[in-house]
Amino acid sequence: MSNTFNIKRFAKYLRYDLLSAWQNAGLSVIVIACMPVWLFAIYELYALVFGGGFSAISANAVVAAYVVSFMLATIFFPVQVYGKLTDRRPGSDWLLVPASRFEKFLSMLLVLCAALPLVWLAVIVCSDLLISFTPLYDGPAIGKAVGGMGAVFAEIHSDNVNLALNAPFAIYLSWCADILFFVLGAIFFRKNKIVHTFLTLMGIGILISLVAGFFASSGLFDIEVRGVNEDAFMRWFNVGVYALYVIEFALLDLGIYFRIKTLKH
């Protein structure tokens, strides 16, 4: 049996990891994904108390619930599921689970980037559809959100700009990047994990802005492009976008893997 990867052992550990994730954060994910219902209830309660009756709510307002729910899920889920790995007793128990560090790393990626977004999307769409049966809601918001994003990308494409990314894929990449960053913070910091992760993210953003500003002001990138048509430029632009994503995910994955590899108690 391979010490690095064995399909049967990995499948067994993946089931354990999914069950553990559900026990630790399943209810929280459902509550967060029901954000459209909570927003609708609060809005109608406010209208009833201060307006004397129920009031119709726009689907555009519920789109904000999608955004807030998206952010909360990517921020809190990693800490709830994997944040305890830095504690002595839960972390030691996790290290003793019969699976290689690579299998645990791969399972973590599948839980965060496959299982969780599917559960979150299914629940939030169902909650959106649930309130759409009431006469006070002109939803569901998911249709207008997707239609709005499609219109934006269609407008960009109509200007002879052919982006390789479409709206759903761009949102999914954003989900993966955000949640991997926060899980890295959850297994790296021992206390105040979310706060420290936010501060680290702000620090990286400031550093990147300073470096980019320096190069922009120095004129090092003022390269005159001659003989390059618009199609060729967009091809290189798309290559650059994917290259940045590859670098970002490579750094995050390597950081998570080596943290798992070196985790000791």
Side-chain angles (χ1 to χ4, degrees):
M1 181 179 292
S2 173
N3 292 327
T4 303
F5 183 82
N6 178 271
I7 187 63
K8 292 183 179 179
R9 185 178 61 200
F10 171 71
K12 185 176 181 179
Y13 176 78
L14 180 60
R15 289 194 296 270
Y16 162 83
D17 204 11
L18 289 170
L19 179 60
S20 177
W22 176 256
Q23 292 174 341
N24 290 327
L27 180 60
S28 299
V29 171
I30 291 176
V31 171
I32 291 173
C34 286
M35 191 66 68
V37 174
W38 312 137
L39 175 64
F40 178 78
I42 294 172
Y43 181 88
E44 296 304 332
L45 181 61
Y46 183 89
L48 182 62
V49 172
F50 295 99
F54 295 110
S55 176
I57 183 173
S58 171
N60 293 327
V62 180
V63 172
Y66 275 78
V67 177
V68 174
S69 179
F70 180 98
M71 295 174 60
L72 291 177
T74 57
I75 291 172
F76 288 101
F77 184 85
V79 175
Q80 286 187 300
V81 178
Y82 299 108
K84 295 180 180 179
L85 298 186
T86 56
D87 297 339
R88 183 177 299 275
R89 183 168 183 177
S92 298
D93 293 340
W94 181 79
L95 291 175
L96 294 175
V97 176
S100 69
R101 301 295 178 98
F102 176 76
E103 290 166 344
K104 294 177 180 179
F105 162 74
L106 185 58
S107 176
M108 184 181 292
L109 294 186
L110 290 176
V111 170
L112 295 172
C113 298
L116 175 60
L118 286 175
V119 172
W120 174 83
L121 183 61
V123 175
I124 199 169
V125 170
C126 288
S127 65
D128 188 12
L129 292 174
L130 178 64
I131 60 176
S132 67
F133 288 108
T134 68
L136 300 173
Y137 180 48
D138 63 347
I142 184 65
K144 294 192 176 183
V146 173
M149 291 185 296
V152 171
F153 274 77
E155 184 177 351
I156 296 175
H157 285 289
S158 66
D159 294 332
N160 297 322
V161 178
N162 297 315
L163 294 177
L165 294 176
N166 56 30
F169 189 46
I171 293 174
Y172 176 69
L173 291 178
S174 176
W175 169 286
C176 293
D178 292 344
I179 205 165
L180 290 179
F181 189 86
F182 276 94
V183 79
L184 179 58
I187 63 176
F188 183 82
F189 299 111
R190 294 188 178 275
K191 295 181 179 180
N192 301 320
K193 299 174 183 291
I194 294 178
V195 175
H196 288 155
T197 304
F198 264 117
L199 292 176
T200 303
L201 185 61
M202 291 175 59
I204 293 174
I206 293 173
L207 180 61
I208 292 176
S209 299
L210 291 175
V211 173
F214 168 77
F215 282 110
S217 61
S218 65
L220 294 177
F221 290 144
D222 293 341
I223 302 174
E224 184 177 355
V225 180
R226 298 178 180 178
V228 179
N229 58 34
E230 187 174 346
D231 292 337
F233 173 79
M234 286 310 303
R235 283 197 299 270
W236 281 107
F237 177 81
N238 288 323
V239 169
V241 169
Y242 276 112
L244 289 176
Y245 272 117
V246 169
I247 294 173
E248 181 180 13
F249 284 119
L251 292 175
L252 289 172
D253 290 343
L254 287 174
I256 293 170
Y257 176 74
F258 282 110
R259 178 53 179 161
I260 293 175
K261 188 82 172 175
T262 58
L263 189 62
K264 295 180 181 179
H265 294 285

